[in-house]
């Protein structure tokens, strides 16, 4: 199923528009999924972080705006739709080690995130 952040007028059993969600509801939604896809091209997005910390395996479009996001050690970076079905299938079968995510949380903090944010605007 594809979950869109905006209303889309296409009748499909595979597309679902959840409407506006609270952070708790969003986390519950993410916890019911296995793979998150982020194709934001307009601004740095924190959706991948939200998905990652909720336990999803994340696919992110690799572009100028995402180069400061998590590395390919944490996110699966893609440049186009080539082989997307196989990538999603592989991630459905991949079980993230919770220690892996917990170690990331210990190594990163808000000051590092803020520094990366400033670098985006400096460049």
């Amino acid at each position: 199923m594809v979950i869109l952040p905006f209303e889309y007028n296409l009748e499909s059993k595979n597309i679902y528009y959840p409407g506006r969600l609270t952070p708790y509801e969003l986390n519950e939604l993410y916890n019911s999924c296995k793979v998150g896809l982020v194709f934001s091209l307009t601004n740095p997005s924190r959706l991948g972080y939200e998905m990652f910390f909720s336990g999803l395996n994340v696919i992110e479009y690799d572009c100028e705006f995402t180069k400061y996001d998590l590395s390919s050690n944490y996110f699966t970076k893609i440049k186009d739709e080539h082989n997307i079905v196989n990538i999603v299938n592989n991630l459905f079968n991949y079980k993230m080690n919770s220690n892996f995510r917990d170690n990331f949380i210990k190594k990163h903090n808000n000051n590092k995130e803020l520094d990366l944010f400033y670098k985006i605007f400096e460049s």
Side-chain angles (χ1 to χ4, degrees):
M1 169 179 21
V2 175
I3 300 169
L4 297 174
F6 54 86
E7 197 161 355
Y8 191 71
N9 294 325
L10 176 69
E11 292 297 322
S12 173
K13 65 179 183 173
N14 298 316
I15 298 175
Y16 168 68
Y17 174 67
R20 192 172 216 150
L21 301 175
T22 66
Y24 176 81
E25 292 168 326
L26 187 59
N27 185 53
E28 288 294 311
L29 175 63
Y30 289 160
N31 277 262
S32 70
C33 301
K34 293 189 97 167
V35 176
L37 294 111
V38 182
F39 293 117
S40 177
L41 298 177
T42 58
N43 62 347
S45 173
R46 302 297 35 63
L47 291 174
Y49 286 88
E50 294 171 4
M51 293 174 178
F52 177 77
F53 291 120
S54 292
L56 275 72
N57 296 307
V58 178
I59 298 172
E60 181 177 64
Y61 182 73
D62 190 9
C63 70
E64 177 67 24
F65 298 109
T66 62
K67 71 180 179 182
Y68 297 106
D69 285 350
L70 294 181
S71 73
S72 56
N73 293 336
Y74 301 97
F75 287 2
T76 300
K77 304 280 190 167
I78 61 171
K79 287 280 191 190
D80 55 39
E81 76 283 358
H82 179 73
N83 205 22
I84 188 74
V85 172
N86 288 334
I87 293 169
V88 170
N89 283 335
N90 287 339
L91 289 175
F92 263 101
N93 296 317
Y94 175 76
K95 174 82 169 115
M96 185 190 309
N97 183 329
S98 62
N99 289 331
F100 180 70
R101 189 175 49 252
D102 294 344
N103 287 335
F104 173 84
I105 293 169
K106 289 177 188 172
K107 288 196 289 188
H108 294 78
N109 60 48
N110 287 340
N111 290 332
K112 288 182 182 180
E113 176 74 10
L114 185 59
D115 288 342
L116 290 175
F117 186 71
Y118 287 140
K119 285 180 185 179
I120 291 170
F121 288 102
E122 287 171 1
S123 65

